[in-house]
Amino acid sequence: MDNCIFCKIANKDIPGKIIYEDDVCLAFLDLSQATYGHTLVIPKKHFANILEADDETVAHLFVVAKKLSASIMSNCHANGLNILTNTDEVAGQSVYHFHIHILPRYDKEELTIEFTDHSNQTNLDEVYEKIMK
Ligand code: AMP
Ligand code: ZN
């Protein structure tokens, strides 16, 4: 897709530190390095986000992300990792080409992904009914 930075990396129009490539996807180092070894896995074909991508591509990318996570964790001596994909602006997506973040973790403070407990303000029965309808 024109003007998509990740399509440009996939097409080798602009450089990326590519650590893995196959027919369907590639993985390269995220410029920001939110944590040491921060890597992105993207499909070569353009999809705006995970919901737009076909199931086969999504499944393949997550298997690749899992395999790369194991080698990155081991080679970078990480203690854990987060695997996530941001979908839409409100969730922090800034590049609208589906990508999976691999974020190796070394300590709890370097990155904040906070799950605030709202259990006293949320009716689980109501949530259940909404999701199941
Ligand atoms: P998101 O906010 O989930 O859309 O993530 C987009 C990520 O792409 C950010 O972490 C950026 O640092 C990263 N990024 C943007 N441009 C490039 C680039 N040219 N090469 C590598 N990473 C990039
Ligand atoms: Zn693209």
Side-chain angles (χ1 to χ4, degrees), residues 116-133:
T116 308
D117 186 350
H118 293 127
S119 56
N120 59 351
Q121 302 156 39
T122 311
N123 181 330
L124 282 194
D125 291 335
E126 187 198 305
V127 178
Y128 179 87
E129 291 302 328
K130 189 164 279 177
I131 290 173
M132 296 300 285
K133 81 177 171 209

Side-chain angles (χ1 to χ4, degrees), residues 91-104:
Q93 187 175 9
S94 61
V95 177
Y96 290 84
H97 178 128
F98 172 39
H99 51 281
I100 299 171
H101 291 265
I102 299 172
L103 291 149

Side-chain angles (χ1 to χ4, degrees), residues 6 9 28-32 40 86 92-95 99 101:
F6 288 177
I9 292 174
F28 54 93
L29 299 183
D30 191 299
L31 278 183
S32 72
L40 300 173
N86 298 329
Q93 187 175 9
S94 61
V95 177
H99 51 281
H101 291 265

Side-chain angles (χ1 to χ4, degrees), residues 47-114:
F47 303 99
N49 59 45
I50 187 172
L51 299 179
E52 299 291 325
D54 61 272
D55 292 353
E56 214 179 318
T57 300
V58 172
H60 181 79
L61 257 69
F62 271 97
V63 171
V64 168
K66 178 196 167 184
K67 287 179 178 161
L68 291 176
S69 292
S71 58
I72 292 168
M73 262 191 79
S74 156
N75 292 350
C76 293
H77 306 291
N79 302 315
L81 62 99
N82 295 101
I83 296 175
L84 60 91
T85 180
N86 298 329
T87 304
D88 251 320
E89 194 181 351
V90 71
Q93 187 175 9
S94 61
V95 177
Y96 290 84
H97 178 128
F98 172 39
H99 51 281
I100 299 171
H101 291 265
I102 299 172
L103 291 149
R105 297 298 300 269
Y106 304 88
D107 61 62
K108 287 185 177 171
E109 282 72 38
E110 74 206 321
L111 179 72
T112 313
I113 301 172
E114 205 170 277

Side-chain angles (χ1 to χ4, degrees), residues 1-8 10-11 42-48 95-98:
M1 199 192 183
D2 290 349
N3 283 330
C4 171
I5 192 110
F6 288 177
C7 281
K8 286 180 181 159
N11 295 330
I42 69 164
K44 288 185 169 174
K45 196 172 159 191
H46 182 91
F47 303 99
V95 177
Y96 290 84
H97 178 128
F98 172 39

